Amino acid sequence: MGLTVLSVVLFCLETLPELAYLEVEGAGAYAISRNPIFILNTICVIYFSLELILRFVVCPDKKMFAKQLMNWVDLFAVVPYFMTLTLILSDVNIGSQTSKLAAVRVIRLFRILR
């Protein structure tokens, strides 16, 4: 429960212009990875991902696990982080820095499911 609350607080803090690490022009992966909000968010997502994987591994009925809505919500809550991380770390040019940032913002909308 504590990590869920921390994750929600971090999500809110990321929206503040003073603390937004994705909005910095020319901020490379190294600069972003040194941001405390990014580090705490990464710890939360790793915990949530491991929890989801462990629940799947120990579940005796995998089909029933796949049919439960809350498991899909948990999956869709962590996937946007990995998509954002991939966009940040990739050298793929998807147009301009502005369009890359717009793509990250759209992906972040899905984090609300968490």
Side-chain angles (χ1 to χ4, degrees), residues 59-77:
C59 181
D61 188 3
K62 308 292 190 228
K63 288 182 183 179
M64 186 59 130
F65 183 87
K67 290 180 182 178
Q68 293 179 346
L69 177 65
M70 289 310 293
N71 293 325
W72 285 99
V73 169
D74 289 344
L75 178 66
F76 289 132

Side-chain angles (χ1 to χ4, degrees), residues 17-35 38 84-92 96-98 100-101 104:
E18 302 86 26
L19 300 175
Y21 56 87
L22 294 174
E23 318 265 325
V24 178
E25 186 67 33
Y30 179 75
I32 291 172
S33 67
R34 308 260 311 150
N35 185 297
F38 178 78
T84 304
L85 189 63
T86 302
L87 277 176
I88 291 170
L89 296 177
S90 70
D91 291 331
V92 177
S96 67
Q97 186 69 14
T98 306
K100 190 174 190 177
L101 188 57
V104 168

